[in-house]
Amino acid sequence: MSTTPTKKRLLSGMQPTGAGKLHLGNYEGALKAWVRLQDEYEMFCFVADWHALTTLATSGQSINADAREIALDYLSAGLDPEKCAIFLQSEVPQHAELFLLLSMLTPVTWLERVPTYKERREILADREGGEAGVSYGLLGYPVLQAADILVYRAHAVPVGKDQAAHLELSREIARRFNHTYHVDFFPEPQAVISETTGTLIGLDGRKMSKSYDNAIYLTDTADEVNAKLKKAFTTPTRLRMTDPGVPEGCSVCQLRRIYDPNGYQTQWDECRAASRGCVQSKKETAEILNAALEPLRERRKMYADDPAQLDLILKQGAQKARDTAEDTLREVRKMMRLVNVF
Ligand code: TRP
């Protein structure tokens, strides 16, 4: 595994949801950028399976199969285990140790102000069990996230807008640690915002999301993509081919824009002019999308057919992560006077 010391360090991760597999929106919004970043940074890329327990611990659901599925998605998107350590969070106990130590420095009031916590709390309070569903682990979610980042002393984290508050808290915790122990030890991690293609429209015209059942998955076969596009919502006011289309609100036209950046304009113009019908646009777009997804499918098949290789990749990734994280912890234990250094 290559480690060029001059490269800055970057950490990226996703939380499994309990429902497996990632969709095109996840790919466009995150993974695609990660694949580019792996050449620029020394990269650590993990699956946040402990974080998943903040919502799944009491469900009795097994998280491991799901976590491996996400790792497969990383690999099929093109993350290269030679360039980037790919691993599961739960294989690196140093995340937990730093989480515990940082929790001693984190005021509860900081955590109670985090928007994601407030939202979840409201949702849970309305359910059976109410407040009892709000665990100590849920409150500590952002501290664990800070530990994930700081344990590698990462400079950069590619995150979407929804994670901005968590990253800000990671910076505050880093500052507080440095200030408390009069050190300049943890860099304040910066967000790497990728120029995104915008929120992907799902097949029913709403935002693409697993919970709306309107997504195209990286695991979908060509036939599945064809069938999904055939049924996709286009312009609601375009009942006949002679009615003009509105590409801005059409799921098929939006996919076309992303996957056919040089050719989409003609299709959009003809859609607006009602000279190209939705059936034709869907068929063409499905072909274009399938061509784009083919390399991902091939890589996925290669790794899925060889579980021992996936095991090895995750094992080697976790080993590198543990070694790097342990270097940090050794220093942290000293600074916090947990070991005799004088
Ligand atoms: N909270 C992130 C999410 O919901 C997952 C995550 C956990 C993460 N730890 C992280 C992301 C550290 C970036 C860095 O997707």
Side-chain angles (χ1 to χ4, degrees), residues 11-15 46 48 51 89 141 144-145 148-149 157-159 162-163 166:
L11 175 87
S12 58
M14 275 188 206
Q15 178 186 322
F46 78 111
H51 276 105
Q89 183 185 32
Y141 185 111
L144 181 56
Q145 182 156 348
D148 296 335
I149 299 166
V157 186
V159 287
D162 62 322
Q163 296 295 312
H166 289 162

Side-chain angles (χ1 to χ4, degrees), residues 261-302:
N262 300 322
Y264 82 96
Q265 202 62 54
T266 313
Q267 184 254 330
W268 277 35
D269 290 346
E270 294 186 12
C271 166
R272 284 196 186 104
S275 58
R276 191 180 313 202
C278 294
V279 174
Q280 185 190 346
S281 291
K282 285 173 167 187
K283 200 162 161 282
E284 293 165 355
T285 306
E287 264 170 39
I288 292 167
L289 186 54
N290 277 325
L293 286 175
E294 204 44 50
L296 280 79
R297 291 187 187 123
E298 276 168 23
R299 276 192 294 266
R300 185 177 201 97
K301 185 168 171 1
M302 186 175 89

Side-chain angles (χ1 to χ4, degrees), residues 16 27 77 103 114 178 182:
Y27 177 62
S103 76
V114 173
N178 290 343
H182 311 291

Side-chain angles (χ1 to χ4, degrees), residues 67-144:
R68 290 175 64 92
E69 203 59 34
I70 306 270
L72 268 180
D73 280 322
Y74 290 174
L75 289 162
S76 60
L79 284 178
D80 178 351
E82 293 293 323
K83 295 180 184 167
C84 155
I86 300 172
F87 60 97
L88 308 187
Q89 183 185 32
S90 61
E91 303 267 324
V92 187
Q94 285 83 356
H95 288 229
E97 184 176 349
L98 189 61
F99 164 59
L100 177 134
L101 295 173
L102 295 178
S103 76
M104 306 304 172
L105 298 173
T106 309
V108 173
T109 51
W110 287 7
L111 299 173
E112 284 170 339
R113 278 201 298 263
V114 173
T116 42
Y117 171 71
K118 289 204 282 192
E119 274 162 33
R120 279 233 39 93
R121 207 188 148 119
E122 271 165 33
I123 295 168
L124 289 169
D126 288 341
R127 292 207 189 139
E128 209 188 329
E131 293 279 287
V134 183
S135 69
Y136 166 58
L138 184 67
L139 180 66
Y141 185 111
V143 186
L144 181 56

